[in-house]
Amino acid sequence: MTEMLIKAREDKYAVGAFNILDYNSMKVVVETAQELQSPVIVQTSEKTVSFWGFDPIVSWVKELTQNTTVPVAIHLDHCKDLSFIQSCINAGWSSVMIDASSKPFEENIRLSQQVVKMAKPHGISVEAELGEIGGIEDDMIIKEEDVHLASAKKAKIFLEKVKVDCFAPAIGTSHGIYKGEPKIAFERLKEISQLSDTPLALHGGTGLSEAVFKKCIQLGCAKVNISTQLKYAFIDGFLYYHQANPKEYNPLAVLQAQYSALKIAVAENILLFGSNQRA
Ligand SMILES: [Zn+2]
């Protein structure tokens, strides 16, 4: 993931990190990236990994990337459990995120350093978070009043002490669906971006406007996470097909409908982030 993000930050585009749910959705992500000649990040939540198991997910990636020519990374999203992260490293993930952002600052630094130590010898990239991103991620719910933007002063210390490959500062985005216009702290993002060349990650991508994406990408966000939009496409793709064909009961047609709905979402984001023809 490191190489693709360094390149993206330099050339001011972003690589989409798409949260997959199963083999079919992973297939969509890999095949759409290949078609659009885009680097891509297949992203897995801890819950999805627990549901399927470590080895099946890695075997899907291997199978799906056998004939691809575009760079594909497999990344573990928000995780605070170091033994879980270790299991992903052992199983073959190419990138992991340690999210110790809910811990006191010093402990966040210490835990993130520890993950860098675990990952680096294997050539695996590490993303870490500072501040608190709002909304729901797996079972963690951060209420709006508890959202803390990453402080630029702390970000400076963090980036000096922890050699991460990707840094996720909280800048006012939220996971899930936005109620009203999100307030993005562009000035803060700019300050943090100027501290180093480390590619930044933009969480809570679903529902942000084209203008917001473009501005964040200009300011150094090289990785954009898309999860909620894919959850909707996954379920609505199924539902709408069944509603339109209530008597059909052809599971493969339903999977195809899900595939098509997901593909529209993935392609739209790749084009929006400008990573097409960058592989
Ligand atoms: Zn996130």
Side-chain angles (χ1 to χ4, degrees):
M1 192 175 81
T2 309
E3 271 169 61
M4 61 170 92
L5 295 186
I6 289 173
K7 219 170 140 225
R9 173 152 185 184
E10 266 172 23
D11 292 345
K12 294 197 186 306
Y13 61 91
V15 180
F18 299 102
N19 282 58
I20 59 102
L21 298 149
D22 61 356
Y23 177 79
N24 201 26
S25 48
M26 188 192 283
K27 191 163 181 275
V28 172
V29 172
V30 174
E31 290 180 352
T32 310
Q34 177 66 31
E35 262 179 56
L36 295 173
Q37 286 296 297
S38 169
V40 82
I41 299 162
V42 168
Q43 192 157 268
T44 55
S45 73
E46 194 180 329
K47 268 192 163 176
T48 303
V49 180
S50 298
F51 186 90
W52 293 106
F54 298 95
D55 294 338
I57 293 184
V58 171
S59 74
W60 302 342
V61 180
K62 284 192 181 145
E63 200 274 323
L64 287 168
T65 54
Q66 246 168 22
N67 297 311
T68 50
T69 54
V70 299
V72 179
I74 165 104
H75 177 74
L76 173 68
D77 203 6
H78 297 270
C79 187
K80 47 172 105 177
D81 177 348
L82 265 59
S83 70
F84 197 94
I85 292 175
Q86 186 63 59
S87 299
C88 283
I89 293 172
N90 297 345
W93 261 251
S94 56
S95 183
V96 292
M97 176 179 186
I98 164 72
D99 178 0
S101 60
S102 60
K103 305 265 198 270
F105 184 55
E106 292 300 329
E107 202 180 341
N108 186 358
I109 289 181
R110 192 181 58 76
L111 289 167
S112 302
Q113 280 173 332
Q114 210 173 325
V115 171
V116 170
K117 222 182 248 176
M118 283 155 55
K120 278 291 151 74
H122 303 273
I124 288 162
S125 334
V126 176
E127 176 181 345
E129 177 176 324
L130 181 65
E132 278 180 281
I133 295 162
I136 307 172
E137 183 81 27
D138 280 356
D139 287 333
M140 299 181 285
I141 301 171
I142 311 283
K143 288 196 201 116
E144 208 164 315
E145 59 267 31
D146 294 328
V147 171
H148 297 297
L149 296 184
S151 103
K153 214 172 123 193
K154 282 185 177 169
K156 186 168 188 284
I157 299 168
F158 194 96
L159 288 168
E160 280 165 6
K161 292 197 170 178
V162 193
K163 295 296 158 206
V164 286
D165 305 285
C166 181
F167 182 54
I171 53 156
T173 58
S174 268
H175 299 117
I177 297 288
Y178 290 102
K179 296 180 199 81
E181 195 66 27
K183 289 186 204 78
I184 312 298
F186 292 113
E187 272 310 307
R188 185 69 55 87
L189 174 59
K190 195 174 171 186
E191 271 179 84
I192 291 172
S193 177
Q194 284 167 347
L195 295 171
S196 78
D197 292 332
T198 308
L200 304 178
L202 182 65
H203 284 244
T206 299
L208 298 179
S209 69
E210 188 173 338
V212 169
F213 277 131
K214 297 235 154 108
K215 201 160 172 189
C216 290
I217 292 168
Q218 281 303 313
L219 291 174
C221 291
K223 172 177 182 274
V224 180
N225 290 5
I226 298 291
S227 175
T228 304
Q229 189 185 358
L230 301 184
K231 289 180 189 169
Y232 275 70
F234 189 87
I235 291 177
D236 291 343
F238 191 126
L239 200 68
Y240 295 161
Y241 186 84
H242 184 60
Q243 281 168 350
N245 308 277
K247 290 189 180 144
E248 201 182 85
Y249 285 91
N250 177 355
L252 294 178
V254 171
L255 289 176
Q256 187 54 52
Q258 254 180 338
Y259 183 98
S260 304
L262 287 163
K263 184 164 184 165
I264 290 168
V266 171
E268 175 188 294
N269 283 299
I270 288 177
L271 296 173
L272 185 57
F273 306 154
S275 64
N276 52 308
Q277 307 303 325
R278 301 282 192 165

